[in-house]
Amino acid sequence: AAGVIQSPRHLIKEKRETATLKCYPIPRHDTVYWYQQGPGQDPQFLISFYEKMQSDKGSIPDRFSAQQFSDYHSELNMSSLELGDSALYFCASSLGQGLNQPQHFGDGTRLSIL
Amino acid sequence: AQKITQTQPGMFVQEKEAVTLDCTYDTSDQSYGLFWYKQPSSGEMIFLIYQGSYDEQNATEGRYSLNFQKARKSANLVISASQLGDSAMYFCAMREDYNYGQNFVFGPGTRLSVLP
């Protein structure tokens, strides 16, 4: 079965640079979530989209923005990168927003800031 | 306050034995969902099992079962017949009704090591 696709898998950037992470949800999934997981931490929710509209916002810095496109893929744009942004970034998707809908995660993008 | 508590930072279990990973949660909602995820050292997050707050029966998925005690607000994951490939971080997560359609809250995780 098709899973959530994230690209790139690994990304190395320097401080103050920008980065764009991409996420392709499972076909027919209309909801996309972004998470940031620091080393040894649990995933922290950043932002989510339902039917191409932002549905919730978590601990996303103002330097980051995201959107969901007409084909339901999503991009997380990160600017003025800082050392503390080094983390594993997950995208997850679900079919609808019901309480019983699990979020299916991609393999993540490992971002390293030098 | 922590919404999800996993009191065992690390657990060891002998191969082929059963193990229980603890999860307690805090919510004032009547409707909520509880989920368990597995994260191997390779990093991906794998959905294991779901329990709804109104489900009367404990959820089961293969070797995974959920010991759901609503009054105690606990949702412990039981893995039967442990395998070496079960060695991973395990996260308990909750979605609440007031947070309808939005993010999960994750616990801090438990690292399970299966010994040969």
Side-chain angles (χ1 to χ4, degrees):
Chain A
V4 176
I5 306 295
Q6 288 187 248
S7 67
R9 290 296 308 276
H10 303 273
L11 189 58
I12 299 174
K13 290 286 185 179
E14 297 195 351
K15 286 196 305 184
R16 292 180 288 277
E17 286 192 323
T18 61
T20 296
L21 309 186
K22 296 187 178 184
C23 169
Y24 296 86
I26 292 172
R28 295 191 302 117
H29 280 195
D30 49 18
T31 309
V32 167
Y33 312 80
W34 286 97
Y35 290 86
Q36 177 191 60
Q37 186 180 29
Q41 305 287 317
D42 54 286
Q44 295 295 312
F45 171 71
L46 294 178
I47 195 166
S48 62
F49 294 88
Y50 170 66
E51 284 290 347
K52 293 153 277 185
M53 301 284 289
Q54 182 181 307
S55 58
D56 193 24
K57 200 169 183 181
S59 53
I60 185 169
D62 291 340
R63 299 177 289 109
F64 296 4
S65 65
Q67 57 182 322
Q68 186 180 31
F69 294 86
S70 57
D71 63 352
Y72 293 97
H73 95 272
S74 179
E75 294 183 5
L76 177 66
N77 299 295
M78 311 161 76
S79 62
S80 303
L81 289 168
E82 302 172 356
L83 293 177
D85 296 330
S86 294
L88 186 56
Y89 289 84
F90 284 108
C91 171
S93 74
S94 67
L95 180 60
Q97 302 184 87
L99 280 175
N100 64 340
Q101 290 300 321
Q103 295 181 12
H104 297 274
F105 283 71
D107 288 344
T109 293
R110 190 169 296 280
L111 175 64
S112 300
I113 309 300
L114 304 180
Chain B
Q2 276 279 23
K3 286 275 189 181
I4 301 281
T5 303
Q6 295 179 254
T7 57
Q8 308 148 315
M11 289 277 287
F12 291 90
V13 65
Q14 209 69 39
E15 197 178 3
K16 298 189 180 70
E17 291 186 347
V19 62
T20 298
L21 306 184
D22 294 342
C23 171
T24 57
Y25 56 91
D26 180 25
T27 181
S28 55
D29 286 343
Q30 296 303 308
S31 295
Y32 51 89
L34 297 158
F35 302 79
W36 277 91
Y37 285 83
K38 171 185 178 182
Q39 186 174 39
S41 56
S42 48
E44 68 269 31
M45 292 282 284
I46 303 165
F47 166 67
L48 296 177
I49 195 167
Y50 160 80
Q51 180 83 44
S53 60
Y54 290 117
D55 293 342
E56 294 188 354
Q57 303 227 335
N58 286 337
T60 61
E61 285 289 344
R63 293 186 300 111
Y64 304 109
S65 61
L66 220 153
N67 182 1
F68 180 48
Q69 298 187 50
K70 192 170 180 177
R72 294 186 177 185
K73 293 187 177 177
S74 74
N76 299 338
L77 177 70
V78 181
I79 305 175
S80 62
S82 297
Q83 302 172 356
L84 294 177
D86 293 335
S87 294
M89 279 290 285
Y90 288 81
F91 291 99
C92 180
M94 177 173 65
R95 171 181 270 169
E96 298 170 87
D97 191 30
Y98 85 90
N99 225 9
Y100 180 80
Q102 297 166 2
N103 58 299
F104 281 9
V105 175
F106 284 88
T110 294
R111 183 171 297 282
L112 176 66
S113 299
V114 180
L115 306 174

